[in-house]
Amino acid sequence: MKIRALVMDVDGTLTDGGIFIGVSGELMKKFYVRDGYAIKHMLPRMHILPIVITGRKSEIVARRCGELDIVHLCQGSVDKMTDLRRMLAQEQIMLEETAYIGDDINDLECLQAAALSGCPADAAPEVQAAADFIAPSPGGCGAVREFIEWIKANEKDIDSERDNQ
């Protein structure tokens, strides 16, 4: 079975986890352009749908998702697994066709349920123990792109491994 969706966490995965907050609220987040390139240009060529599920709510994240043509965005998630199932059902994609990348305990259930899982180098130890792929880079510094490149490089192996199960 082919991977049809890549689900990504934001803080600590697509960003370095730092949040700049001023008196008026959240001001900035730093995203890595190479992650963005991979999401916007590589995933469509691989026929993989990008999905973002994050526990925080941020106009910054909505804007970045818009720039990357990510239309499936769930912010303020208190139960990522429930939101993951809902979003996949909307697209008629099964968990067995899903890759997930996250960095912290609230990503663990989704990581364990997805067909493929990845995490940044600086993810929580429990997440690293559960992940199929640990990126050489930390969150917000290319970890998402490295996971996408790993999926692409191993696509045939992943498909044949699933066929043998």
Side-chain angles (χ1 to χ4, degrees), residues 12 46 52 67 69 72 74-75 79 83 87-88 96 105 112 118 127 145:
M46 296 165 66
V52 168
E67 291 174 350
D69 300 328
H72 299 285
C74 175
Q75 296 199 69
D79 182 349
D83 292 325
M87 294 181 89
L88 292 176
E96 296 82 12
I105 304 303
Q112 292 168 333
V127 172
R145 180 171 183 147

Side-chain angles (χ1 to χ4, degrees), residues 15-111:
T15 75
D16 63 7
I19 300 167
F20 299 90
I21 300 178
V23 227
S24 303
E26 186 176 68
L27 298 175
M28 292 184 285
K29 289 180 187 282
K30 181 183 82 162
F31 294 90
Y32 198 64
V33 294
R34 288 189 213 150
D35 286 340
Y37 180 87
I39 293 165
K40 185 168 182 159
H41 299 287
M42 293 174 70
L43 288 181
R45 284 188 226 131
M46 296 165 66
H47 306 286
I48 296 176
L49 179 71
I51 297 173
V52 168
I53 300 176
T54 180
R56 294 181 54 86
K57 288 185 181 180
S58 168
E59 277 301 314
I60 296 166
V61 171
R63 182 174 182 164
R64 183 64 175 150
C65 285
E67 291 174 350
L68 300 179
D69 300 328
I70 299 172
V71 296
H72 299 285
L73 167 62
C74 175
Q75 296 199 69
S77 178
V78 292
D79 182 349
K80 287 188 174 187
M81 192 66 215
T82 298
D83 292 325
L84 173 62
R85 288 183 191 281
R86 178 182 50 78
M87 294 181 89
L88 292 176
Q90 288 172 354
E91 292 300 317
Q92 298 180 334
I93 296 173
M94 298 182 296
L95 281 167
E96 296 82 12
E97 300 171 304
T98 304
Y100 189 98
I101 184 166
D103 72 304
D104 214 342
I105 304 303
N106 62 342
D107 297 304
L108 204 46
E109 188 177 6
C110 295
L111 282 162

